[in-house]
Amino acid sequence: MKHHNLFIALFAFAAFSGCKSNSTTTPTTPTIVVPNVGTSWTIQNIRRDSLGTIKKTDTSIRVVAATNMQAQGFSDVVMTTETNPVTGKLDTVYLRYLPSGDISRLSIPSIDPQLPEWLTVPYYTHAAQAFNFGGNITYLGYTHDTVTFSATYVGDGSDTIAGVIYPTSIVSTSTWQKASSAIKDSTDLITQTNSFIPSKGIFGGRTVTMNQVNGKQINRVEQKVIAVDLK
């Protein structure tokens, strides 16, 4: 079963008045930083089993491959690519850096690639997101697919990369999917804690990624960005 992470989004800090008053304060307009083509960040992946024992440590590099491209009805799409060090397969992620300061990510369900959806992660607005989609399918023997996605702002933080401290925004996301038919079904749960570095337009560490299929943990990864190459 192929798994897609609904990771990553954008955050820009909200500035508020330093004195108290009866007036309502609003966030400043965020500065949208879209990374240039060729920008990359190196990620250290620490893979653990269900008991927390480290089984493998490896690295992968995510690269901005294209900007201002057209995809699924939009022309402001950024494409990033990353080769999975375990499978050797190329993971392609499509993003939109929204005027609000959030990021929208094109998600393709594991079992139903006919139903791509743009999902927003609230790094700037901090507004909790929830979305459900699915329907009747004909794919890998399954006939019905249901996907539930949620994203919640956790708080501000920081990532230290090569000795440099970058302010970040942190969001927790969860994706639950059930594919079923008359003779079989499968459930897939992915939970992540993601950080974003707004000043560079790139993503920091994904603190913990948990992947469970049919209630059994199959993957637990701690990730840390260890190098950044800006173009």
Side-chain angles (χ1 to χ4, degrees):
M1 185 174 178
K2 187 178 179 181
H3 306 292
H4 298 263
N5 293 337
L6 297 177
F7 88 127
I8 47 197
L10 174 66
F11 169 84
F13 288 103
F16 294 91
S17 170
C19 60
K20 295 182 178 179
S21 70
N22 292 328
S23 61
T24 300
T25 58
T26 57
T28 59
T29 301
T31 299
I32 310 301
V33 178
V34 179
N36 294 324
V37 172
T39 292
S40 65
W41 49 104
T42 303
I43 305 166
Q44 181 185 66
N45 306 290
I46 302 173
R47 306 177 187 277
R48 300 177 182 271
D49 61 19
S50 58
L51 298 177
T53 304
I54 296 177
K55 305 300 291 184
K56 183 179 181 181
T57 299
D58 51 48
T59 59
S60 56
I61 300 176
R62 183 158 291 277
V63 180
V64 178
T67 60
N68 295 319
M69 66 176 294
Q70 292 190 357
Q72 295 294 324
F74 295 99
S75 59
D76 58 350
V77 177
V78 174
M79 180 176 74
T80 69
T81 60
E82 179 181 352
T83 300
N84 188 307
V86 175
T87 65
K89 294 182 178 179
L90 188 68
D91 178 30
T92 301
V93 176
Y94 298 95
L95 308 168
R96 296 182 61 231
Y97 290 67
L98 304 179
S100 66
D102 292 341
I103 277 184
S104 181
R105 181 253 167 95
L106 183 64
S107 174
I108 300 177
S110 304
I111 295 298
D112 191 2
Q114 299 94 336
L115 288 176
E117 298 284 348
W118 287 100
L119 303 177
T120 299
V121 185
Y123 277 89
Y124 178 77
T125 64
H126 303 171
Q129 302 288 313
F131 193 76
N132 300 293
F133 59 98
N136 295 326
I137 61 173
T138 303
Y139 191 71
L140 298 179
Y142 295 101
T143 57
H144 185 76
D145 191 31
T146 301
V147 178
T148 299
F149 169 79
S150 65
T152 305
Y153 170 72
V154 175
D156 297 342
S158 64
D159 285 348
T160 301
I161 305 173
V164 179
I165 300 176
Y166 296 94
T168 64
S169 176
I170 303 169
V171 166
S172 175
T173 65
S174 176
T175 307
W176 178 85
Q177 178 181 15
K178 180 176 182 178
S180 61
S181 70
I183 59 175
K184 63 179 180 178
D185 61 63
S186 178
T187 59
D188 184 359
L189 173 64
I190 299 174
T191 58
Q192 291 179 292
T193 302
N194 305 322
S195 68
F196 184 78
I197 303 172
S199 63
K200 304 301 180 184
I202 64 173
F203 305 99
R206 282 166 281 177
T207 308
V208 177
T209 299
M210 292 283 291
N211 194 180
Q212 297 179 349
V213 174
N214 296 333
K216 181 180 180 180
Q217 177 182 310
I218 64 169
N219 195 17
R220 177 187 177 93
V221 184
E222 297 177 36
Q223 296 183 306
K224 179 182 179 180
V225 175
I226 58 176
V228 174
D229 183 11
L230 301 175
K231 301 296 184 181

